Amino acid sequence: MSTRRDEAMAALREWSKPGRRADLLAAAWQAGETNVSALAEAARISRPTVYADLRSRGIDPDHRPKGNTVIINLAPLDIEGFTGVGERLDAEFDAALRRWAAEHPTATHEEGKIEGMRLAALMDTTYRYANVRDLLAHEQVARAERDRLLHQVELRWEALSTATAWLAAHHAYVLAVDEARIAIDMWRERAEAALKRPFFCSSPRDEAAYHQIQEAGHPALEPAMADLDQTPARTAEHLRADLDQAHERRMGLAAQTLRVAQPAQ
């Protein structure tokens, strides 16, 4: 987390002046904190209030700023014939070594050994890179879906105020809550899986291979790894608790509406 983002969130936790809260929320958002639940917790307000404050400052919470950590929808790997696909490793290594031998017919045994070690490092690094990148991409997709569905809950609830087909709109809200619960659990699973597979380079050959991958146009993994929630289980628990608490209160309010709407017996 950046220093600017830390400072913005610290200021948000200490807001007191009327009207200042929306400015601090906007500052935290622009500093990179786009998790609405985290903003709500820091400001000690509800998520709907966060959405309202952000919109009052011209920020659309549905369009989160994208940094350099987005790694989804990327081109497949092909680094000197290495794709990072596990079942192809041996065949790709043999093919790469044969190509090198054909291009260097006068190479010595020692030179061939050195090239084999380089190719082995490239094969291993490409494989580990592909694996970690895939886990990070799944986490990012799940995180975006989690946030989208949590916001969908708020939209469905707000729609009840003006819905003509109230029961249908209420059912849509209940379904949105259920979908948000599922999305939170799916994100937690993806985040925990990504945390279990850190990416690192253990030798100069690994570092050279990693640099080669980036030179081919593939992004560095460190920014996305740093953006991972380090406590997904706790975050998921907080998100579920907030969602369930709001839902329980709303069910009480909805029950009052239903009692008024029902014809007298």
Side-chain angles (χ1 to χ4, degrees), residues 114-127:
I114 292 174
E115 177 62 12
M117 294 173 65
R118 185 189 75 83
L119 290 174
L122 182 58
M123 174 189 68
D124 177 67
T125 303
T126 304
Y127 170 70

Side-chain angles (χ1 to χ4, degrees), residues 14-63:
E14 297 173 359
W15 71 267
S16 60
K17 183 179 177 181
R20 176 69 173 147
R21 184 187 65 213
D23 292 335
L24 291 172
L25 281 167
W29 180 277
Q30 291 163 354
E33 181 52 79
T34 59
N35 185 311
V36 174
S37 293
L39 292 169
E41 181 183 2
R44 300 180 298 281
I45 57 177
S46 67
R47 288 203 310 272
T49 303
V50 172
Y51 285 114
D53 281 352
L54 289 173
R55 290 191 176 106
S56 75
R57 294 301 182 268
I59 295 173
D60 183 356
D62 291 331
H63 293 84

Side-chain angles (χ1 to χ4, degrees), residues 36-211:
V36 174
S37 293
L39 292 169
E41 181 183 2
R44 300 180 298 281
I45 57 177
S46 67
R47 288 203 310 272
T49 303
V50 172
Y51 285 114
D53 281 352
L54 289 173
R55 290 191 176 106
S56 75
R57 294 301 182 268
I59 295 173
D60 183 356
D62 291 331
H63 293 84
R64 290 167 171 76
K66 294 182 179 180
N68 295 323
T69 64
V70 178
I71 60 171
I72 59 177
N73 297 326
L74 296 179
L77 291 171
D78 186 356
I79 312 299
E80 294 189 35
F82 292 109
T83 62
V85 179
E87 55 267 28
R88 301 179 186 172
L89 293 179
D90 290 341
E92 290 174 350
F93 178 81
D94 291 342
L97 197 56
R98 285 197 300 270
R99 284 195 301 271
W100 183 87
E103 294 168 357
H104 302 82
T106 61
T108 65
H109 174 74
E110 185 63 25
E111 289 173 333
K113 182 179 179 180
I114 292 174
E115 177 62 12
M117 294 173 65
R118 185 189 75 83
L119 290 174
L122 182 58
M123 174 189 68
D124 177 67
T125 303
T126 304
Y127 170 70
R128 290 187 297 106
Y129 177 94
N131 186 263
V132 173
R133 187 181 76 167
D134 185 61
L135 291 171
L136 290 171
H138 279 83
E139 187 277 335
Q140 289 185 351
V141 169
R143 190 195 322 176
E145 184 67 358
R146 176 203 72 185
D147 292 346
R148 185 187 72 81
L149 289 173
L150 283 171
H151 184 41
Q152 188 70 13
V153 170
E154 306 306 323
L155 294 178
R156 295 296 189 191
W157 176 252
E158 292 173 6
L160 283 174
S161 298
T162 57
T164 53
W166 195 88
L167 287 177
H170 184 268
H171 183 61
Y173 160 74
V174 172
L175 290 179
V177 172
D178 187 59
E179 290 174 351
R181 289 189 182 119
I182 295 171
I184 291 170
D185 291 340
M186 289 185 65
W187 164 78
R188 176 184 57 77
E189 292 175 3
R190 303 295 189 274
E192 289 176 343
L195 285 172
K196 291 178 182 178
R197 293 298 301 269
F199 180 82
F200 58 89
C201 294
S202 57
S203 71
R205 286 191 179 90
D206 290 348
E207 293 176 359
Y210 184 36
H211 182 67

